[in-house]
Amino acid sequence: MTILRVTILLLALAGLTAPSFAQIGGQGGPMDITADRLETFDAERRAMFSGNVDAAQGEANLRSDALEVFFAPRSGNATGTGASWGEIDRVIATGDVFYVTPNEIARGERAVYQLTAQTIVMTGGVTLRRGENVIEGDCLVVDLETNNSQINAPACRGEAPAGTDQNTGRVRGVFFPATSGSDDDDAGNDADAEG
């Protein structure tokens, strides 16, 4: 099986504009996409990556079964494949979707990155893990500018998977208390004293 690796910045060599403002991670820089297959649709300004997709940017990764990248139109009269493609406008990840940063791991069935809103909206049985703490809900919104996250937020309206009612979605959180080394040391000393 061949693995296809495309750095979106390199697409400029094929007549595409580099996505200087697109970012799935707060650090910016090029978006490096690895997949088994790539299919482009010139008239739709769309690229479809499929099979073990990993979109990496800075310290953030968006992993999925499939990833559609939509480009804004570019002004001008250039001709040729990709000549009308501007910067990345929207990214849609589907299948078994993971959004991974150094501080959290989010999992769902679908994630939409929107350039203008600078958000990632994840839906479909979402689980957000930060350390040992876990939060579950129907929809997760990650603000890439502030790094804040919301579960079942008003921005989720219209993003809920078919067959679910966004207004009745419940959020569940499991939070673990922080442990300190001094508590463990005291417990060990108590055990020694009893022995």
Side-chain angles (χ1 to χ4, degrees), residues 48-92:
M48 180 70 175
F49 296 86
S50 56
N52 303 304
V53 182
D54 184 2
Q57 187 176 43
E59 296 181 323
N61 286 74
L62 184 60
R63 299 179 185 139
S64 59
D65 296 332
L67 185 80
E68 286 182 279
V69 181
F70 295 85
F71 295 83
R74 179 196 290 179
S75 59
N77 295 328
T79 59
T81 302
S84 66
W85 298 18
E87 60 190 52
I88 292 176
D89 178 58
R90 184 170 39 121
V91 174
I92 300 176

Side-chain angles (χ1 to χ4, degrees), residues 115-173:
L115 170 67
T116 53
Q118 286 295 304
T119 58
I120 293 177
V121 178
M122 184 175 284
T123 55
V126 175
T127 302
L128 175 63
R129 179 180 297 273
R130 289 185 176 155
E132 293 183 337
N133 302 325
V134 178
I135 302 172
E136 298 174 341
D138 292 333
C139 177
L140 165 70
V141 178
V142 179
D143 184 319
L144 296 172
E145 287 189 45
T146 64
N147 207 25
N148 292 337
S149 301
Q150 297 180 45
I151 301 283
N152 294 0
C156 292
R157 301 217 189 285
E159 294 288 344
T164 63
D165 184 352
Q166 189 63 46
N167 296 327
T168 61
R170 305 270 299 161
V171 177
R172 177 175 182 246

